[in-house]
Short mmCIF file of all heavy atoms in Angstrom, two decimals:
data_model
loop_
_atom_site.label_atom_id
_atom_site.label_comp_id
_atom_site.label_asym_id
_atom_site.label_seq_id
_atom_site.Cartn_x
_atom_site.Cartn_y
_atom_site.Cartn_z
N MET M 16 0.87 -1.14 -0.06
CA MET M 16 0.04 -0.05 0.02
C MET M 16 0.92 1.29 -0.01
O MET M 16 1.84 1.38 0.81
CB MET M 16 -0.90 0.02 1.24
CG MET M 16 -2.07 1.02 1.20
SD MET M 16 -2.84 0.96 2.73
CE MET M 16 -3.70 -0.59 2.60
N ASN M 18 2.05 4.91 0.77
CA ASN M 18 1.91 5.79 1.87
C ASN M 18 1.56 7.32 1.31
O ASN M 18 1.50 8.29 2.13
CB ASN M 18 3.01 5.77 2.84
CG ASN M 18 2.76 4.81 3.99
OD1 ASN M 18 1.70 4.21 3.99
ND2 ASN M 18 3.74 4.73 4.80
N ILE M 21 -3.42 12.09 0.20
CA ILE M 21 -3.74 13.63 0.09
C ILE M 21 -2.96 14.35 1.26
O ILE M 21 -2.68 15.48 1.12
CB ILE M 21 -5.18 13.79 0.06
CG1 ILE M 21 -5.52 15.27 -0.33
CG2 ILE M 21 -5.77 13.48 1.33
CD1 ILE M 21 -6.74 15.38 -1.18
N GLN M 29 1.52 21.18 -1.14
CA GLN M 29 1.29 21.19 -2.63
C GLN M 29 -0.23 21.49 -2.77
O GLN M 29 -0.65 21.94 -3.82
CB GLN M 29 1.44 19.83 -3.20
CG GLN M 29 3.01 19.51 -3.45
CD GLN M 29 3.15 18.13 -3.94
OE1 GLN M 29 3.51 17.19 -3.05
NE2 GLN M 29 2.93 17.83 -5.23
N ILE M 30 -1.02 21.19 -1.73
CA ILE M 30 -2.45 21.51 -1.71
C ILE M 30 -2.80 22.21 -0.54
O ILE M 30 -2.22 21.91 0.51
CB ILE M 30 -3.43 20.41 -2.00
CG1 ILE M 30 -3.37 19.38 -1.01
CG2 ILE M 30 -3.15 19.69 -3.46
CD1 ILE M 30 -4.63 18.46 -0.94
N GLU M 37 1.26 23.75 13.67
CA GLU M 37 2.37 22.99 12.98
C GLU M 37 3.58 23.08 14.04
O GLU M 37 3.94 24.07 14.59
CB GLU M 37 2.64 23.51 11.66
CG GLU M 37 3.81 22.85 10.97
CD GLU M 37 3.98 23.20 9.54
OE1 GLU M 37 3.42 24.20 9.17
OE2 GLU M 37 4.69 22.45 8.79
N ASP M 38 4.17 21.86 14.15
CA ASP M 38 5.49 21.86 14.83
C ASP M 38 6.37 20.86 14.10
O ASP M 38 6.07 20.44 13.06
CB ASP M 38 5.33 21.55 16.39
CG ASP M 38 4.72 20.13 16.63
OD1 ASP M 38 4.85 19.27 15.77
OD2 ASP M 38 4.21 20.08 17.79
N ILE M 47 -12.18 18.96 6.06
CA ILE M 47 -12.93 19.52 4.96
C ILE M 47 -14.38 19.26 5.01
O ILE M 47 -15.30 20.00 4.44
CB ILE M 47 -12.28 19.11 3.56
CG1 ILE M 47 -12.52 20.08 2.60
CG2 ILE M 47 -12.77 17.74 3.31
CD1 ILE M 47 -11.67 19.75 1.31
N ILE M 58 -2.10 15.10 12.35
CA ILE M 58 -1.30 14.06 11.61
C ILE M 58 0.19 14.12 11.99
O ILE M 58 0.67 15.17 12.18
CB ILE M 58 -1.59 14.19 10.04
CG1 ILE M 58 -0.95 15.30 9.56
CG2 ILE M 58 -3.03 14.01 9.88
CD1 ILE M 58 -0.98 15.42 8.01
N PRO M 59 0.79 13.04 11.98
CA PRO M 59 2.31 13.17 11.97
C PRO M 59 2.78 13.40 10.58
O PRO M 59 2.14 13.07 9.58
CB PRO M 59 2.72 11.64 12.32
CG PRO M 59 1.66 10.70 11.75
CD PRO M 59 0.37 11.65 11.77
N LYS M 60 3.95 14.14 10.62
CA LYS M 60 4.50 14.68 9.36
C LYS M 60 5.09 13.41 8.48
O LYS M 60 5.29 13.44 7.29
CB LYS M 60 5.51 15.57 9.56
CG LYS M 60 4.81 16.98 9.92
CD LYS M 60 5.81 18.12 9.94
CE LYS M 60 5.27 19.40 10.09
NZ LYS M 60 6.23 20.60 10.32
N ASN M 73 8.14 4.17 16.00
CA ASN M 73 7.43 5.32 15.54
C ASN M 73 6.27 5.74 16.58
O ASN M 73 5.66 6.79 16.41
CB ASN M 73 6.73 5.22 14.20
CG ASN M 73 5.80 3.99 14.02
OD1 ASN M 73 5.24 3.69 15.08
ND2 ASN M 73 5.60 3.58 12.80
N LEU M 87 -4.29 22.22 21.35
CA LEU M 87 -5.44 22.75 20.61
C LEU M 87 -6.61 22.96 21.47
O LEU M 87 -7.35 23.96 21.40
CB LEU M 87 -5.74 21.83 19.35
CG LEU M 87 -4.80 21.85 18.33
CD1 LEU M 87 -5.28 20.90 17.20
CD2 LEU M 87 -4.59 23.21 17.60
N LYS M 89 -6.58 23.64 24.56
CA LYS M 89 -6.29 24.83 25.37
C LYS M 89 -6.62 26.18 24.59
O LYS M 89 -7.19 27.06 24.96
CB LYS M 89 -4.97 24.81 25.87
CG LYS M 89 -4.82 25.02 27.34
CD LYS M 89 -3.44 24.97 27.91
CE LYS M 89 -3.23 23.74 28.60
NZ LYS M 89 -1.90 23.34 29.02
N GLY M 92 -10.12 26.60 23.62
CA GLY M 92 -11.14 26.77 24.60
C GLY M 92 -11.92 25.57 24.94
O GLY M 92 -13.09 25.68 25.54
N GLU M 106 -11.31 -0.55 7.06
CA GLU M 106 -12.65 -0.47 6.54
C GLU M 106 -13.69 -0.38 7.68
O GLU M 106 -14.58 0.51 7.70
CB GLU M 106 -12.98 -1.61 5.66
CG GLU M 106 -14.32 -1.23 4.90
CD GLU M 106 -14.63 -2.44 3.81
OE1 GLU M 106 -13.72 -3.41 3.55
OE2 GLU M 106 -15.73 -2.49 3.40
N HIS M 107 -13.68 -1.29 8.63
CA HIS M 107 -14.65 -1.33 9.64
C HIS M 107 -14.56 -0.12 10.58
O HIS M 107 -15.64 0.18 11.14
CB HIS M 107 -14.65 -2.57 10.39
CG HIS M 107 -15.23 -3.82 9.71
ND1 HIS M 107 -15.60 -4.98 10.45
CD2 HIS M 107 -15.67 -3.86 8.45
CE1 HIS M 107 -16.10 -5.75 9.56
NE2 HIS M 107 -16.19 -5.16 8.32
N GLY M 109 -13.91 2.80 9.47
CA GLY M 109 -14.14 3.97 8.74
C GLY M 109 -13.09 4.74 8.25
O GLY M 109 -13.25 6.01 7.88
N ILE M 115 -2.14 7.97 9.33
CA ILE M 115 -2.87 8.06 10.56
C ILE M 115 -3.20 9.41 10.95
O ILE M 115 -2.38 10.34 10.67
CB ILE M 115 -2.15 7.28 11.76
CG1 ILE M 115 -0.76 7.83 11.99
CG2 ILE M 115 -2.20 5.72 11.53
CD1 ILE M 115 -0.15 7.43 13.48
N MET M 119 -10.08 15.42 16.00
CA MET M 119 -10.50 16.10 17.16
C MET M 119 -11.77 16.81 16.98
O MET M 119 -11.98 17.75 16.07
CB MET M 119 -9.33 17.15 17.52
CG MET M 119 -9.64 17.75 18.83
SD MET M 119 -8.15 18.76 19.28
CE MET M 119 -8.85 19.21 20.82
N GLY M 126 -22.81 12.03 21.77
CA GLY M 126 -23.32 10.75 22.34
C GLY M 126 -22.25 9.55 22.40
O GLY M 126 -21.23 9.70 21.86
#
Side-chain angles (χ1 to χ4, degrees):
M16 192 184 292
N18 270 358
I21 193 149
Q29 282 175 267
I30 65 164
E37 181 166 14
D38 63 23
I47 207 165
I58 68 173
K60 288 185 174 175
N73 61 23
L87 291 177
K89 230 178 256 172
E106 189 179 352
H107 280 194
I115 60 165
M119 184 169 184

